[in-house]
Amino acid sequence: MNALLMTSCVLATPASATPASVPKGMIRVCTNKSCRKDGAHDTLAVLRLLASTAAADAAVSDLGTSASNGAAVQAAFAAEHVEACGCLGQCGKGPNVALCDGAVEKCELFHDVHKPRSARALLSEAGLSISDEAAGAVLKRAFALRALRECRPDEARDLVTAGLNQAGALRLDASYLLSEMLELRADISDELRDSDAAAADRVQAERLRAATPQAA
């Protein structure tokens, strides 16, 4: 089992951190001051990007049909399964993330959740299956963001492009992920003063967001 899961512990979280009723499998990301400094908002984004790609599988399970959900549905699905919250305790070990089980009002607390691999393992524990293509694309996004922080925008754009090519295999099942990565590439193109490329990516992202879901 992933090292992140092996070193986690089961804790009853403070009343202020967990509402009276939490859906089984809900993932809660602390975005309080300490965890925020440790990158909690990117952890939240990574978890939601990955979770959004599991929406089609959930539709198959719930409805018994094959469906490509639109980007808005995928984003809403991710938000239903991954949410921001207040302090979970054990500050200084973040980003801290809790996997909650409403049936027993108990949360399993995980520390230092920032890598896409850790996020994928946590989503698996929550019952969401994430494809290799989605995981690979989000990993390249992480590398691209690091390249941007190190003032290497050309490399960052190449990494996002590679991620888009990888996630593209999922087609409309990854509409939300693809649209977000296109927006990121557009921002990078703006930084590189490539306005034509930025505009083209934003048009493509909007088309994905507007795409009509299709059921088989």
Side-chain angles (χ1 to χ4, degrees), residues 67-74 172 175 208-216:
S68 289
N69 296 306
V73 173
Q74 292 166 17
L172 290 180
S175 293
L208 277 171
R209 286 191 289 267
T212 303
Q214 297 179 351

Side-chain angles (χ1 to χ4, degrees), residues 200-212:
D201 276 345
R202 291 195 173 102
V203 168
Q204 192 173 354
E206 184 58 34
R207 286 175 178 166
L208 277 171
R209 286 191 289 267
T212 303

Side-chain angles (χ1 to χ4, degrees), residues 79-92:
E80 287 175 1
H81 288 78
V82 183
E83 68 176 14
C85 69
C87 185
L88 294 169
Q90 302 195 36
C91 301

Side-chain angles (χ1 to χ4, degrees), residues 30-97:
C30 172
T31 55
N32 214 30
K33 185 175 180 180
S34 179
C35 284
R36 186 167 64 247
K37 288 182 177 179
D38 290 332
H41 283 295
D42 195 54
T43 294
L44 180 66
V46 166
L47 284 163
R48 284 182 170 173
L49 286 171
L50 289 172
S52 71
T53 65
D57 286 342
V60 171
S61 176
D62 293 344
L63 304 176
T65 61
S66 176
S68 289
N69 296 306
V73 173
Q74 292 166 17
F77 175 86
E80 287 175 1
H81 288 78
V82 183
E83 68 176 14
C85 69
C87 185
L88 294 169
Q90 302 195 36
C91 301
K93 297 182 179 180
N96 291 329
V97 178

Side-chain angles (χ1 to χ4, degrees), residues 6-27:
M6 291 175 63
T7 58
S8 65
C9 55
V10 179
L11 298 172
T13 57
S16 61
T18 307
S21 177
V22 180
K24 183 177 177 64
M26 169 66 77
I27 294 174

